[in-house]
């Protein structure tokens, strides 16, 4: 009986640890989802959908379900090409898909009937409207980050390009203060009139806030940042613990 109680206690402790670690985990990956149909508009089940990151060449596959729906999760942010193949149809490839941090991109694909499996239909995806996320903010790509002059090499200076963000101390963010961690409010912007400590910083989904004063715990080298998103309003539940801005950094 005593061993049974100990086993139950250990199981409960493991569940608590897992739930706590899960609550603090935040994703920076993207998702591509959509519906595959034939020329008549009927859904195509069993189609193979391949998302290829054109920057790295990494491919991720999925298969449409009985409703013709596919979903490819946990994709690294960046440019993608989407290829759909199904028996009796021409292969269709959509280019120009760019995933941003925590984005759910909806890409519906219509297939054409073909008697020759070697026929391929090429296309370019239109700008994607994210209907799953109503948050307000700006995303800076790797190219933009590399070409923005940062005096002092402080990655937090990138947040100044977001409407509503101001630097309350000109000697702070613009100075030579790209130190290992932020120790002063002047290292952080004020967003939408909130205190600097009201911001929430994450790196690859992990918390990057110093616990004592809620300042930046670690200043990332700008060369290591692949994408930076600043959410200033309507943050979803994943990033809902910041009253000011939510700064989400994805590493290259």
């Amino acid at each position: 009986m005593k061993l049974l109680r100990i086993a139950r206690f250990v199981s409960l402790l493991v569940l608590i640890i897992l739930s706590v670690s899960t609550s603090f985990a935040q994703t920076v990956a993207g998702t591509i989802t959509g519906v595959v149909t034939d020329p008549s508009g009927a859904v195509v089940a069993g189609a193979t959908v391949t998302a290829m990151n054109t920057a790295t060449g990494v491919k991720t596959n999925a298969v449409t379900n009985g409703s013709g729906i596919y979903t490819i999760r946990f994709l690294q942010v960046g440019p993608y090409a989407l290829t759909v193949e199904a028996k009796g149809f021409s292969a269709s490839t959509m280019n120009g898909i760019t995933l941003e941090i925590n984005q759910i991109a909806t890409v519906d694909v219509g297939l054409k009937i073909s008697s020759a499996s070697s026929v391929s239909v090429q296309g370019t995806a239109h700008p994607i409207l994210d209907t799953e996320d109503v948050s307000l903010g700006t995303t800076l790509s790797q190219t933009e980050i590399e070409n923005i002059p940062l005096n002092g090499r402080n990655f937090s200076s990138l947040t100044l390009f977001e409407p509503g963000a101001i630097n309350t101390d000109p000697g702070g963010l613009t100075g030579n203060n790209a130190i290992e961690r932020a120790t002063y409010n002047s290292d952080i912007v004020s967003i939408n009139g909130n205190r600097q400590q009201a911001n929430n910083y994450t790196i690859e989904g992990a918390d990057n806030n110093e616990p004592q004063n809620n300042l930046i715990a670690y200043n990332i080298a700008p060369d290591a940042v692949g994408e930076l998103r600043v959410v200033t309003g309507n943050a979803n539940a994943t990033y809902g613990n910041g009253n000011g801005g939510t700064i989400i950094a994805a590493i290259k």
Side-chain angles (χ1 to χ4, degrees):
M1 181 64 69
K2 184 177 181 180
L3 292 176
L4 180 60
R5 291 177 180 175
I6 294 175
R8 288 177 176 175
F9 173 77
V10 172
S11 299
L12 179 61
L13 182 61
V14 171
L15 288 175
I16 292 174
I17 293 174
L18 289 176
S19 63
V20 171
S21 62
T22 301
S23 65
F24 282 100
Q26 298 171 337
T27 180
V28 295
T31 299
I32 301 178
T33 186
V35 179
V36 178
T37 57
D38 64 13
S40 68
V43 298
V44 178
T48 300
V49 184
T50 303
M52 184 183 74
N53 188 314
T54 56
T56 63
V58 175
K59 297 180 179 180
T60 308
N61 300 322
V63 177
T64 58
N65 60 17
S67 300
I69 300 173
Y70 73 91
T71 301
I72 307 177
R73 298 184 175 90
F74 307 115
L75 295 173
Q76 180 183 1
V77 296
Y80 281 85
L82 191 74
T83 300
V84 181
E85 298 173 294
K87 186 176 181 180
F89 295 91
S90 302
S92 179
T93 300
M94 304 297 293
N95 298 298
I97 301 172
T98 302
L99 277 184
E100 298 181 353
I101 290 176
N102 205 28
Q103 180 185 14
I104 300 177
T106 301
V107 182
D108 296 330
V109 180
L111 297 179
K112 295 182 179 180
I113 297 176
S114 173
S115 57
S117 59
S118 60
V119 176
S120 178
V121 179
Q122 298 286 330
T124 302
H126 297 289
I128 298 171
L129 176 64
D130 190 350
T131 59
E132 304 292 332
D133 188 0
V134 296
S135 60
L136 303 176
T138 299
T139 300
L140 295 176
S141 66
Q142 178 180 328
T143 301
E144 292 169 325
I145 294 172
E146 291 174 347
N147 287 278
I148 293 175
L150 296 178
N151 184 20
R153 302 280 294 164
N154 190 337
F155 89 100
S156 186
S157 300
L158 294 168
T159 57
L160 288 171
F161 294 89
E162 173 66 33
I166 62 170
N167 181 11
T168 59
D169 182 0
L173 284 167
T174 57
N176 186 19
N177 60 352
I179 53 180
E180 183 176 355
R181 56 176 291 269
T183 55
Y184 300 100
N185 294 348
S186 59
D187 295 338
I188 303 176
V189 299
S190 171
I191 297 179
N192 292 336
N194 291 281
R195 293 169 61 91
Q196 288 93 333
Q197 292 95 333
N199 295 336
N200 180 42
Y201 289 80
T202 62
I203 304 176
E204 288 291 321
D207 185 81
N208 186 31
N209 301 287
E210 178 268 320
Q212 183 174 359
N213 295 314
N214 204 44
L215 302 175
I216 302 175
Y218 179 76
N219 278 352
I220 320 165
D223 296 331
V225 181
E227 188 168 288
L228 189 78
R229 177 162 176 78
V230 183
V231 179
T232 58
N234 295 336
N236 57 40
T238 305
Y239 307 106
N241 64 324
N243 294 325
T246 297
I247 294 84
I248 311 160
I251 304 301
K252 291 181 181 177

